[in-house]
Amino acid sequence: MPPPKKVDPPHKLTFATNSVRNTTFSLDNDKFYYEVVTRFWHPHLTKINKYDYENRIVSCVAEIESLPKKEVKVRFNTPDAEGEWIRAADFVKCDGNNIGGVFTTGEDGVVYRWKTHKRYLQLVKADDEDKVPVAEYHPFKRHFFVFRMSRHAWLEIKPEAAAALEKIIVSYLIVERRRRQAKIRVKLEHP
């Protein structure tokens, strides 16, 4: 009798930088490679590009528009057409004062929820009682807390969620931007 099949290891998407506007998410073997870029001539438009190294194709899979004094909007593109703009608040529904949010993947209809655990973001299925993370953020580390990074940040994603990878990345960017902007507001309001 053959041994049981081993569980596939999680995907480790490594961040090139700590920015949510200009960075890359990639696996070691470049099976998944996403570039998040905000050009200086379009400072309010962030594009998420997917690189397919086997076919040598670059495609824009999503865009995030954050104009001043307007709501943030998101658009998911297909290879043959651009999608419609939707409000980011409709895509990732905020939990009130909590950091995080709930979103639904369109393909399989699974509802995911971003939550914080020990100050770091985790993605769990909304209907899971055990709250086992499907994706988990691991922060960067620096040499002596000052110098260059000794370990880059990464997003650990289980293979069962790989089908919704673009939506997970976009929702992570939206939730992380909200979290960082909330810290700035607290610092400005606090004397």
Side-chain angles (χ1 to χ4, degrees):
M1 185 164 150
K5 185 180 181 284
K6 290 185 178 179
V7 177
D8 292 333
H11 300 299
K12 183 179 175 183
L13 291 172
T14 306
F15 291 55
T17 63
N18 297 324
S19 172
V20 292
R21 298 190 185 277
N22 293 303
T23 190
T24 59
F25 297 92
S26 64
L27 287 178
D28 291 337
N29 62 1
D30 290 335
K31 179 181 176 185
F32 299 119
Y33 189 95
Y34 293 91
E35 177 188 34
V36 178
V37 62
T38 305
R39 309 273 188 213
F40 72 90
W41 56 85
H42 292 298
H44 306 294
L45 184 67
T46 302
K47 293 187 176 196
I48 296 93
N49 299 321
K50 179 181 181 179
Y51 290 117
D52 185 3
Y53 280 107
E54 293 176 2
N55 299 325
R56 296 185 181 191
I57 297 173
V58 178
S59 58
C60 180
V61 293
E63 296 173 283
I64 302 172
E65 184 181 59
S66 57
L67 295 170
K69 298 182 181 179
K70 290 190 177 180
E71 291 188 5
V72 179
K73 295 188 290 185
V74 179
R75 171 168 64 184
F76 291 97
N77 301 327
T78 59
D80 54 337
E82 292 182 341
E84 292 184 25
W85 289 104
I86 58 171
R87 292 180 32 222
D90 292 339
F91 172 61
V92 180
K93 294 168 183 63
C94 191
D95 293 342
N97 293 336
N98 296 338
I99 296 171
V102 178
F103 72 99
T104 306
T105 61
E107 299 82 34
D108 51 2
V110 178
V111 179
Y112 292 105
R113 183 172 64 88
W114 284 104
K115 67 176 193 125
T116 54
H117 178 70
K118 296 183 181 177
R119 294 185 5 233
Y120 301 122
L121 288 172
Q122 287 184 344
L123 182 70
V124 296
K125 290 185 179 179
D127 57 353
D128 187 14
E129 290 87 23
D130 299 333
K131 295 187 176 157
V132 177
V134 176
E136 191 170 4
Y137 173 76
H138 297 275
F140 64 91
K141 289 193 177 177
R142 294 192 182 275
H143 293 287
F144 300 108
F145 303 106
V146 178
F147 299 116
R148 294 177 54 178
M149 284 188 280
S150 62
R151 186 181 74 188
H152 286 274
W154 78 88
L155 197 61
E156 185 177 329
I157 299 175
K158 293 192 177 172
E160 66 219 28
L165 196 56
E166 286 94 9
K167 295 200 177 196
I168 290 173
I169 289 173
V170 171
S171 66
Y172 168 77
L173 293 172
I174 291 170
V175 169
E176 183 65 19
R177 281 184 183 181
R178 283 183 194 161
R179 188 177 74 84
R180 291 182 185 186
Q181 288 173 354
K183 280 184 179 179
I184 292 171
R185 271 191 226 114
V186 168
K187 287 181 182 178
L188 290 175
E189 292 172 358
H190 186 67

PDB file of all heavy atoms in Angstrom, residues 147-180:
ATOM      1  N   PHE A 147      20.057  48.351  10.292  1.00  0.00           N
ATOM      2  CA  PHE A 147      20.715  48.212   8.998  1.00  0.00           C
ATOM      3  C   PHE A 147      19.821  47.527   7.980  1.00  0.00           C
ATOM      4  O   PHE A 147      18.616  47.423   8.157  1.00  0.00           O
ATOM      5  CB  PHE A 147      22.022  47.440   9.171  1.00  0.00           C
ATOM      6  CG  PHE A 147      22.987  48.139  10.085  1.00  0.00           C
ATOM      7  CD1 PHE A 147      23.365  47.560  11.280  1.00  0.00           C
ATOM      8  CD2 PHE A 147      23.500  49.383   9.761  1.00  0.00           C
ATOM      9  CE1 PHE A 147      24.238  48.191  12.125  1.00  0.00           C
ATOM     10  CE2 PHE A 147      24.371  50.030  10.605  1.00  0.00           C
ATOM     11  CZ  PHE A 147      24.748  49.434  11.798  1.00  0.00           C
ATOM     12  N   ARG A 148      20.443  47.040   6.924  1.00  0.00           N
ATOM     13  CA  ARG A 148      19.704  46.381   5.849  1.00  0.00           C
ATOM     14  C   ARG A 148      18.890  45.206   6.385  1.00  0.00           C
ATOM     15  O   ARG A 148      19.158  44.678   7.446  1.00  0.00           O
ATOM     16  CB  ARG A 148      20.685  45.884   4.800  1.00  0.00           C
ATOM     17  CG  ARG A 148      21.391  47.004   4.102  1.00  0.00           C
ATOM     18  CD  ARG A 148      22.383  46.483   3.136  1.00  0.00           C
ATOM     19  NE  ARG A 148      21.731  45.544   2.232  1.00  0.00           N
ATOM     20  CZ  ARG A 148      22.345  44.942   1.246  1.00  0.00           C
ATOM     21  NH1 ARG A 148      23.600  45.163   1.018  1.00  0.00           N
ATOM     22  NH2 ARG A 148      21.700  44.103   0.456  1.00  0.00           N
ATOM     23  N   MET A 149      17.923  44.801   5.577  1.00  0.00           N
ATOM     24  CA  MET A 149      17.055  43.705   6.002  1.00  0.00           C
ATOM     25  C   MET A 149      17.828  42.396   5.993  1.00  0.00           C
ATOM     26  O   MET A 149      18.507  42.067   5.022  1.00  0.00           O
ATOM     27  CB  MET A 149      15.851  43.587   5.080  1.00  0.00           C
ATOM     28  CG  MET A 149      14.808  44.633   5.325  1.00  0.00           C
ATOM     29  SD  MET A 149      13.314  44.345   4.404  1.00  0.00           S
ATOM     30  CE  MET A 149      13.768  44.974   2.825  1.00  0.00           C
ATOM     31  N   SER A 150      17.727  41.666   7.078  1.00  0.00           N
ATOM     32  CA  SER A 150      18.326  40.334   7.131  1.00  0.00           C
ATOM     33  C   SER A 150      17.341  39.290   6.595  1.00  0.00           C
ATOM     34  O   SER A 150      17.744  38.227   6.161  1.00  0.00           O
ATOM     35  CB  SER A 150      18.731  39.981   8.559  1.00  0.00           C
ATOM     36  OG  SER A 150      17.605  39.944   9.401  1.00  0.00           O
ATOM     37  N   ARG A 151      16.067  39.625   6.645  1.00  0.00           N
ATOM     38  CA  ARG A 151      15.038  38.740   6.100  1.00  0.00           C
ATOM     39  C   ARG A 151      13.900  39.609   5.563  1.00  0.00           C
ATOM     40  O   ARG A 151      13.360  40.436   6.278  1.00  0.00           O
ATOM     41  CB  ARG A 151      14.517  37.808   7.195  1.00  0.00           C
ATOM     42  CG  ARG A 151      13.546  36.771   6.664  1.00  0.00           C
ATOM     43  CD  ARG A 151      13.039  35.879   7.758  1.00  0.00           C
ATOM     44  NE  ARG A 151      12.076  36.646   8.555  1.00  0.00           N
ATOM     45  CZ  ARG A 151      11.551  36.227   9.679  1.00  0.00           C
ATOM     46  NH1 ARG A 151      11.910  35.067  10.176  1.00  0.00           N
ATOM     47  NH2 ARG A 151      10.682  36.959  10.330  1.00  0.00           N
ATOM     48  N   HIS A 152      13.563  39.408   4.304  1.00  0.00           N
ATOM     49  CA  HIS A 152      12.466  40.160   3.699  1.00  0.00           C
ATOM     50  C   HIS A 152      11.129  39.655   4.232  1.00  0.00           C
ATOM     51  O   HIS A 152      11.000  38.513   4.660  1.00  0.00           O
ATOM     52  CB  HIS A 152      12.490  39.996   2.178  1.00  0.00           C
ATOM     53  CG  HIS A 152      13.581  40.763   1.515  1.00  0.00           C
ATOM     54  ND1 HIS A 152      13.442  42.071   1.144  1.00  0.00           N
ATOM     55  CD2 HIS A 152      14.835  40.411   1.164  1.00  0.00           C
ATOM     56  CE1 HIS A 152      14.546  42.491   0.590  1.00  0.00           C
ATOM     57  NE2 HIS A 152      15.428  41.497   0.592  1.00  0.00           N
ATOM     58  N   ALA A 153      10.133  40.522   4.178  1.00  0.00           N
ATOM     59  CA  ALA A 153       8.781  40.129   4.562  1.00  0.00           C
ATOM     60  C   ALA A 153       8.233  39.168   3.518  1.00  0.00           C
ATOM     61  O   ALA A 153       8.646  39.189   2.359  1.00  0.00           O
ATOM     62  CB  ALA A 153       7.891  41.363   4.666  1.00  0.00           C
ATOM     63  N   TRP A 154       7.299  38.301   3.943  1.00  0.00           N
ATOM     64  CA  TRP A 154       6.668  37.410   2.987  1.00  0.00           C
ATOM     65  C   TRP A 154       5.240  37.124   3.388  1.00  0.00           C
ATOM     66  O   TRP A 154       4.847  37.312   4.536  1.00  0.00           O
ATOM     67  CB  TRP A 154       7.463  36.117   2.798  1.00  0.00           C
ATOM     68  CG  TRP A 154       7.331  35.082   3.871  1.00  0.00           C
ATOM     69  CD1 TRP A 154       6.395  34.095   3.938  1.00  0.00           C
ATOM     70  CD2 TRP A 154       8.159  34.903   5.013  1.00  0.00           C
ATOM     71  NE1 TRP A 154       6.599  33.321   5.049  1.00  0.00           N
ATOM     72  CE2 TRP A 154       7.682  33.795   5.729  1.00  0.00           C
ATOM     73  CE3 TRP A 154       9.271  35.574   5.513  1.00  0.00           C
ATOM     74  CZ2 TRP A 154       8.262  33.348   6.903  1.00  0.00           C
ATOM     75  CZ3 TRP A 154       9.856  35.138   6.679  1.00  0.00           C
ATOM     76  CH2 TRP A 154       9.341  34.037   7.356  1.00  0.00           C
ATOM     77  N   LEU A 155       4.470  36.703   2.391  1.00  0.00           N
ATOM     78  CA  LEU A 155       3.080  36.325   2.567  1.00  0.00           C
ATOM     79  C   LEU A 155       2.995  34.834   2.290  1.00  0.00           C
ATOM     80  O   LEU A 155       3.288  34.389   1.190  1.00  0.00           O
ATOM     81  CB  LEU A 155       2.203  37.114   1.598  1.00  0.00           C
ATOM     82  CG  LEU A 155       0.716  37.180   1.848  1.00  0.00           C
ATOM     83  CD1 LEU A 155       0.424  37.840   3.184  1.00  0.00           C
ATOM     84  CD2 LEU A 155       0.030  37.956   0.748  1.00  0.00           C
ATOM     85  N   GLU A 156       2.645  34.079   3.301  1.00  0.00           N
ATOM     86  CA  GLU A 156       2.570  32.618   3.188  1.00  0.00           C
ATOM     87  C   GLU A 156       1.132  32.234   2.845  1.00  0.00           C
ATOM     88  O   GLU A 156       0.223  32.476   3.630  1.00  0.00           O
ATOM     89  CB  GLU A 156       2.989  31.998   4.516  1.00  0.00           C
ATOM     90  CG  GLU A 156       3.060  30.514   4.503  1.00  0.00           C
ATOM     91  CD  GLU A 156       3.554  29.989   5.845  1.00  0.00           C
ATOM     92  OE1 GLU A 156       4.343  30.656   6.523  1.00  0.00           O
ATOM     93  OE2 GLU A 156       3.096  28.887   6.210  1.00  0.00           O
ATOM     94  N   ILE A 157       0.941  31.664   1.647  1.00  0.00           N
ATOM     95  CA  ILE A 157      -0.394  31.346   1.155  1.00  0.00           C
ATOM     96  C   ILE A 157      -0.504  29.854   0.924  1.00  0.00           C
ATOM     97  O   ILE A 157       0.334  29.257   0.252  1.00  0.00           O
ATOM     98  CB  ILE A 157      -0.694  32.107  -0.143  1.00  0.00           C
ATOM     99  CG1 ILE A 157      -0.645  33.606   0.132  1.00  0.00           C
ATOM    100  CG2 ILE A 157      -2.046  31.718  -0.706  1.00  0.00           C
ATOM    101  CD1 ILE A 157      -0.805  34.471  -1.068  1.00  0.00           C
ATOM    102  N   LYS A 158      -1.551  29.256   1.471  1.00  0.00           N
ATOM    103  CA  LYS A 158      -1.763  27.821   1.284  1.00  0.00           C
ATOM    104  C   LYS A 158      -2.216  27.545  -0.148  1.00  0.00           C
ATOM    105  O   LYS A 158      -2.880  28.382  -0.768  1.00  0.00           O
ATOM    106  CB  LYS A 158      -2.778  27.303   2.291  1.00  0.00           C
ATOM    107  CG  LYS A 158      -2.248  27.358   3.705  1.00  0.00           C
ATOM    108  CD  LYS A 158      -3.104  26.594   4.640  1.00  0.00           C
ATOM    109  CE  LYS A 158      -2.471  26.626   6.017  1.00  0.00           C
ATOM    110  NZ  LYS A 158      -3.331  26.060   7.018  1.00  0.00           N
ATOM    111  N   PRO A 159      -1.883  26.371  -0.694  1.00  0.00           N
ATOM    112  CA  PRO A 159      -2.232  26.067  -2.092  1.00  0.00           C
ATOM    113  C   PRO A 159      -3.726  26.096  -2.393  1.00  0.00           C
ATOM    114  O   PRO A 159      -4.117  26.381  -3.519  1.00  0.00           O
ATOM    115  CB  PRO A 159      -1.671  24.655  -2.299  1.00  0.00           C
ATOM    116  CG  PRO A 159      -0.639  24.485  -1.264  1.00  0.00           C
ATOM    117  CD  PRO A 159      -1.055  25.328  -0.102  1.00  0.00           C
ATOM    118  N   GLU A 160      -4.564  25.860  -1.405  1.00  0.00           N
ATOM    119  CA  GLU A 160      -6.014  25.873  -1.654  1.00  0.00           C
ATOM    120  C   GLU A 160      -6.526  27.274  -1.998  1.00  0.00           C
ATOM    121  O   GLU A 160      -7.582  27.420  -2.602  1.00  0.00           O
ATOM    122  CB  GLU A 160      -6.763  25.328  -0.452  1.00  0.00           C
ATOM    123  CG  GLU A 160      -6.630  26.203   0.773  1.00  0.00           C
ATOM    124  CD  GLU A 160      -6.476  25.431   2.056  1.00  0.00           C
ATOM    125  OE1 GLU A 160      -5.971  24.315   2.032  1.00  0.00           O
ATOM    126  OE2 GLU A 160      -6.879  25.977   3.094  1.00  0.00           O
ATOM    127  N   ALA A 161      -5.768  28.302  -1.633  1.00  0.00           N
ATOM    128  CA  ALA A 161      -6.180  29.677  -1.924  1.00  0.00           C
ATOM    129  C   ALA A 161      -5.460  30.246  -3.145  1.00  0.00           C
ATOM    130  O   ALA A 161      -5.648  31.411  -3.469  1.00  0.00           O
ATOM    131  CB  ALA A 161      -5.922  30.561  -0.713  1.00  0.00           C
ATOM    132  N   ALA A 162      -4.657  29.447  -3.819  1.00  0.00           N
ATOM    133  CA  ALA A 162      -3.876  29.953  -4.955  1.00  0.00           C
ATOM    134  C   ALA A 162      -4.766  30.368  -6.123  1.00  0.00           C
ATOM    135  O   ALA A 162      -4.370  31.197  -6.937  1.00  0.00           O
ATOM    136  CB  ALA A 162      -2.872  28.904  -5.405  1.00  0.00           C
ATOM    137  N   ALA A 163      -5.961  29.832  -6.213  1.00  0.00           N
ATOM    138  CA  ALA A 163      -6.866  30.203  -7.302  1.00  0.00           C
ATOM    139  C   ALA A 163      -7.320  31.659  -7.184  1.00  0.00           C
ATOM    140  O   ALA A 163      -7.604  32.305  -8.185  1.00  0.00           O
ATOM    141  CB  ALA A 163      -8.080  29.279  -7.317  1.00  0.00           C
ATOM    142  N   ALA A 164      -7.372  32.191  -5.983  1.00  0.00           N
ATOM    143  CA  ALA A 164      -7.823  33.567  -5.754  1.00  0.00           C
ATOM    144  C   ALA A 164      -6.654  34.481  -5.401  1.00  0.00           C
ATOM    145  O   ALA A 164      -6.817  35.440  -4.662  1.00  0.00           O
ATOM    146  CB  ALA A 164      -8.857  33.580  -4.639  1.00  0.00           C
ATOM    147  N   LEU A 165      -5.486  34.197  -5.941  1.00  0.00           N
ATOM    148  CA  LEU A 165      -4.272  34.911  -5.542  1.00  0.00           C
ATOM    149  C   LEU A 165      -4.336  36.404  -5.850  1.00  0.00           C
ATOM    150  O   LEU A 165      -3.923  37.217  -5.021  1.00  0.00           O
ATOM    151  CB  LEU A 165      -3.059  34.273  -6.215  1.00  0.00           C
ATOM    152  CG  LEU A 165      -1.702  34.619  -5.635  1.00  0.00           C
ATOM    153  CD1 LEU A 165      -1.650  34.295  -4.155  1.00  0.00           C
ATOM    154  CD2 LEU A 165      -0.622  33.860  -6.357  1.00  0.00           C
ATOM    155  N   GLU A 166      -4.842  36.784  -7.012  1.00  0.00           N
ATOM    156  CA  GLU A 166      -4.920  38.206  -7.352  1.00  0.00           C
ATOM    157  C   GLU A 166      -5.808  38.960  -6.373  1.00  0.00           C
ATOM    158  O   GLU A 166      -5.463  40.043  -5.912  1.00  0.00           O
ATOM    159  CB  GLU A 166      -5.439  38.409  -8.784  1.00  0.00           C
ATOM    160  CG  GLU A 166      -4.452  38.072  -9.860  1.00  0.00           C
ATOM    161  CD  GLU A 166      -4.588  36.651 -10.360  1.00  0.00           C
ATOM    162  OE1 GLU A 166      -5.582  35.977  -9.982  1.00  0.00           O
ATOM    163  OE2 GLU A 166      -3.700  36.207 -11.102  1.00  0.00           O
ATOM    164  N   LYS A 167      -6.949  38.375  -6.030  1.00  0.00           N
ATOM    165  CA  LYS A 167      -7.866  39.040  -5.100  1.00  0.00           C
ATOM    166  C   LYS A 167      -7.280  39.090  -3.689  1.00  0.00           C
ATOM    167  O   LYS A 167      -7.501  40.054  -2.960  1.00  0.00           O
ATOM    168  CB  LYS A 167      -9.225  38.347  -5.106  1.00  0.00           C
ATOM    169  CG  LYS A 167      -9.892  38.497  -6.449  1.00  0.00           C
ATOM    170  CD  LYS A 167     -11.354  38.277  -6.389  1.00  0.00           C
ATOM    171  CE  LYS A 167     -11.881  38.530  -7.798  1.00  0.00           C
ATOM    172  NZ  LYS A 167     -13.277  38.720  -7.853  1.00  0.00           N
ATOM    173  N   ILE A 168      -6.524  38.078  -3.316  1.00  0.00           N
ATOM    174  CA  ILE A 168      -5.869  38.094  -2.004  1.00  0.00           C
ATOM    175  C   ILE A 168      -4.828  39.204  -1.952  1.00  0.00           C
ATOM    176  O   ILE A 168      -4.731  39.941  -0.969  1.00  0.00           O
ATOM    177  CB  ILE A 168      -5.245  36.716  -1.699  1.00  0.00           C
ATOM    178  CG1 ILE A 168      -6.354  35.687  -1.454  1.00  0.00           C
ATOM    179  CG2 ILE A 168      -4.308  36.798  -0.507  1.00  0.00           C
ATOM    180  CD1 ILE A 168      -5.859  34.267  -1.304  1.00  0.00           C
ATOM    181  N   ILE A 169      -4.046  39.354  -3.017  1.00  0.00           N
ATOM    182  CA  ILE A 169      -3.018  40.402  -3.047  1.00  0.00           C
ATOM    183  C   ILE A 169      -3.657  41.788  -3.008  1.00  0.00           C
ATOM    184  O   ILE A 169      -3.231  42.656  -2.243  1.00  0.00           O
ATOM    185  CB  ILE A 169      -2.111  40.226  -4.281  1.00  0.00           C
ATOM    186  CG1 ILE A 169      -1.224  38.995  -4.101  1.00  0.00           C
ATOM    187  CG2 ILE A 169      -1.263  41.464  -4.523  1.00  0.00           C
ATOM    188  CD1 ILE A 169      -0.409  38.624  -5.314  1.00  0.00           C
ATOM    189  N   VAL A 170      -4.693  42.011  -3.809  1.00  0.00           N
ATOM    190  CA  VAL A 170      -5.355  43.323  -3.828  1.00  0.00           C
ATOM    191  C   VAL A 170      -5.997  43.614  -2.479  1.00  0.00           C
ATOM    192  O   VAL A 170      -5.885  44.727  -1.951  1.00  0.00           O
ATOM    193  CB  VAL A 170      -6.387  43.396  -4.970  1.00  0.00           C
ATOM    194  CG1 VAL A 170      -7.230  44.652  -4.868  1.00  0.00           C
ATOM    195  CG2 VAL A 170      -5.684  43.344  -6.310  1.00  0.00           C
ATOM    196  N   SER A 171      -6.648  42.631  -1.894  1.00  0.00           N
ATOM    197  CA  SER A 171      -7.274  42.862  -0.586  1.00  0.00           C
ATOM    198  C   SER A 171      -6.213  43.116   0.482  1.00  0.00           C
ATOM    199  O   SER A 171      -6.415  43.953   1.359  1.00  0.00           O
ATOM    200  CB  SER A 171      -8.155  41.684  -0.196  1.00  0.00           C
ATOM    201  OG  SER A 171      -7.383  40.523   0.027  1.00  0.00           O
ATOM    202  N   TYR A 172      -5.072  42.429   0.396  1.00  0.00           N
ATOM    203  CA  TYR A 172      -3.986  42.698   1.340  1.00  0.00           C
ATOM    204  C   TYR A 172      -3.501  44.138   1.209  1.00  0.00           C
ATOM    205  O   TYR A 172      -3.293  44.828   2.210  1.00  0.00           O
ATOM    206  CB  TYR A 172      -2.814  41.728   1.123  1.00  0.00           C
ATOM    207  CG  TYR A 172      -1.584  42.163   1.877  1.00  0.00           C
ATOM    208  CD1 TYR A 172      -1.487  41.957   3.245  1.00  0.00           C
ATOM    209  CD2 TYR A 172      -0.543  42.831   1.243  1.00  0.00           C
ATOM    210  CE1 TYR A 172      -0.388  42.399   3.959  1.00  0.00           C
ATOM    211  CE2 TYR A 172       0.550  43.269   1.935  1.00  0.00           C
ATOM    212  CZ  TYR A 172       0.636  43.051   3.291  1.00  0.00           C
ATOM    213  OH  TYR A 172       1.718  43.501   3.991  1.00  0.00           O
ATOM    214  N   LEU A 173      -3.312  44.607  -0.017  1.00  0.00           N
ATOM    215  CA  LEU A 173      -2.840  45.976  -0.232  1.00  0.00           C
ATOM    216  C   LEU A 173      -3.830  46.992   0.330  1.00  0.00           C
ATOM    217  O   LEU A 173      -3.435  47.979   0.958  1.00  0.00           O
ATOM    218  CB  LEU A 173      -2.596  46.231  -1.715  1.00  0.00           C
ATOM    219  CG  LEU A 173      -1.444  45.453  -2.350  1.00  0.00           C
ATOM    220  CD1 LEU A 173      -1.445  45.642  -3.855  1.00  0.00           C
ATOM    221  CD2 LEU A 173      -0.119  45.857  -1.758  1.00  0.00           C
ATOM    222  N   ILE A 174      -5.120  46.757   0.127  1.00  0.00           N
ATOM    223  CA  ILE A 174      -6.139  47.687   0.637  1.00  0.00           C
ATOM    224  C   ILE A 174      -6.156  47.689   2.156  1.00  0.00           C
ATOM    225  O   ILE A 174      -6.170  48.739   2.796  1.00  0.00           O
ATOM    226  CB  ILE A 174      -7.520  47.328   0.064  1.00  0.00           C
ATOM    227  CG1 ILE A 174      -7.551  47.630  -1.436  1.00  0.00           C
ATOM    228  CG2 ILE A 174      -8.633  48.082   0.785  1.00  0.00           C
ATOM    229  CD1 ILE A 174      -8.771  47.106  -2.138  1.00  0.00           C
ATOM    230  N   VAL A 175      -6.133  46.510   2.763  1.00  0.00           N
ATOM    231  CA  VAL A 175      -6.182  46.420   4.228  1.00  0.00           C
ATOM    232  C   VAL A 175      -4.904  47.003   4.843  1.00  0.00           C
ATOM    233  O   VAL A 175      -4.960  47.720   5.847  1.00  0.00           O
ATOM    234  CB  VAL A 175      -6.398  44.948   4.669  1.00  0.00           C
ATOM    235  CG1 VAL A 175      -6.180  44.783   6.150  1.00  0.00           C
ATOM    236  CG2 VAL A 175      -7.789  44.496   4.277  1.00  0.00           C
ATOM    237  N   GLU A 176      -3.770  46.738   4.250  1.00  0.00           N
ATOM    238  CA  GLU A 176      -2.509  47.269   4.786  1.00  0.00           C
ATOM    239  C   GLU A 176      -2.453  48.788   4.633  1.00  0.00           C
ATOM    240  O   GLU A 176      -1.960  49.479   5.525  1.00  0.00           O
ATOM    241  CB  GLU A 176      -1.328  46.611   4.075  1.00  0.00           C
ATOM    242  CG  GLU A 176       0.023  47.022   4.594  1.00  0.00           C
ATOM    243  CD  GLU A 176       0.310  46.612   6.032  1.00  0.00           C
ATOM    244  OE1 GLU A 176      -0.356  45.710   6.548  1.00  0.00           O
ATOM    245  OE2 GLU A 176       1.220  47.220   6.638  1.00  0.00           O
ATOM    246  N   ARG A 177      -2.966  49.329   3.533  1.00  0.00           N
ATOM    247  CA  ARG A 177      -3.010  50.788   3.384  1.00  0.00           C
ATOM    248  C   ARG A 177      -3.911  51.407   4.450  1.00  0.00           C
ATOM    249  O   ARG A 177      -3.568  52.435   5.036  1.00  0.00           O
ATOM    250  CB  ARG A 177      -3.540  51.174   2.002  1.00  0.00           C
ATOM    251  CG  ARG A 177      -2.523  51.074   0.915  1.00  0.00           C
ATOM    252  CD  ARG A 177      -3.113  51.572  -0.390  1.00  0.00           C
ATOM    253  NE  ARG A 177      -2.170  51.425  -1.483  1.00  0.00           N
ATOM    254  CZ  ARG A 177      -2.424  51.792  -2.713  1.00  0.00           C
ATOM    255  NH1 ARG A 177      -3.587  52.335  -3.028  1.00  0.00           N
ATOM    256  NH2 ARG A 177      -1.519  51.635  -3.655  1.00  0.00           N
ATOM    257  N   ARG A 178      -5.074  50.790   4.695  1.00  0.00           N
ATOM    258  CA  ARG A 178      -5.967  51.292   5.747  1.00  0.00           C
ATOM    259  C   ARG A 178      -5.269  51.268   7.103  1.00  0.00           C
ATOM    260  O   ARG A 178      -5.384  52.196   7.892  1.00  0.00           O
ATOM    261  CB  ARG A 178      -7.228  50.441   5.833  1.00  0.00           C
ATOM    262  CG  ARG A 178      -8.237  50.693   4.782  1.00  0.00           C
ATOM    263  CD  ARG A 178      -9.460  49.828   5.051  1.00  0.00           C
ATOM    264  NE  ARG A 178     -10.350  49.781   3.916  1.00  0.00           N
ATOM    265  CZ  ARG A 178     -11.258  48.866   3.735  1.00  0.00           C
ATOM    266  NH1 ARG A 178     -11.429  47.903   4.628  1.00  0.00           N
ATOM    267  NH2 ARG A 178     -12.034  48.878   2.679  1.00  0.00           N
ATOM    268  N   ARG A 179      -4.545  50.178   7.369  1.00  0.00           N
ATOM    269  CA  ARG A 179      -3.862  50.044   8.657  1.00  0.00           C
ATOM    270  C   ARG A 179      -2.791  51.122   8.818  1.00  0.00           C
ATOM    271  O   ARG A 179      -2.681  51.753   9.866  1.00  0.00           O
ATOM    272  CB  ARG A 179      -3.236  48.655   8.761  1.00  0.00           C
ATOM    273  CG  ARG A 179      -2.661  48.329  10.121  1.00  0.00           C
ATOM    274  CD  ARG A 179      -2.143  46.916  10.157  1.00  0.00           C
ATOM    275  NE  ARG A 179      -0.910  46.749   9.438  1.00  0.00           N
ATOM    276  CZ  ARG A 179       0.300  47.005   9.946  1.00  0.00           C
ATOM    277  NH1 ARG A 179       0.399  47.435  11.174  1.00  0.00           N
ATOM    278  NH2 ARG A 179       1.377  46.828   9.235  1.00  0.00           N
ATOM    279  N   ARG A 180      -2.019  51.357   7.776  1.00  0.00           N
ATOM    280  CA  ARG A 180      -0.965  52.374   7.846  1.00  0.00           C
ATOM    281  C   ARG A 180      -1.546  53.776   7.935  1.00  0.00           C
ATOM    282  O   ARG A 180      -1.013  54.620   8.646  1.00  0.00           O
ATOM    283  CB  ARG A 180      -0.034  52.254   6.641  1.00  0.00           C
ATOM    284  CG  ARG A 180       0.802  51.005   6.695  1.00  0.00           C
ATOM    285  CD  ARG A 180       1.749  50.910   5.536  1.00  0.00           C
ATOM    286  NE  ARG A 180       2.468  49.634   5.564  1.00  0.00           N
ATOM    287  CZ  ARG A 180       3.441  49.336   4.739  1.00  0.00           C
ATOM    288  NH1 ARG A 180       3.839  50.187   3.810  1.00  0.00           N
ATOM    289  NH2 ARG A 180       4.052  48.164   4.826  1.00  0.00           N
TER     290      ARG A 180
END
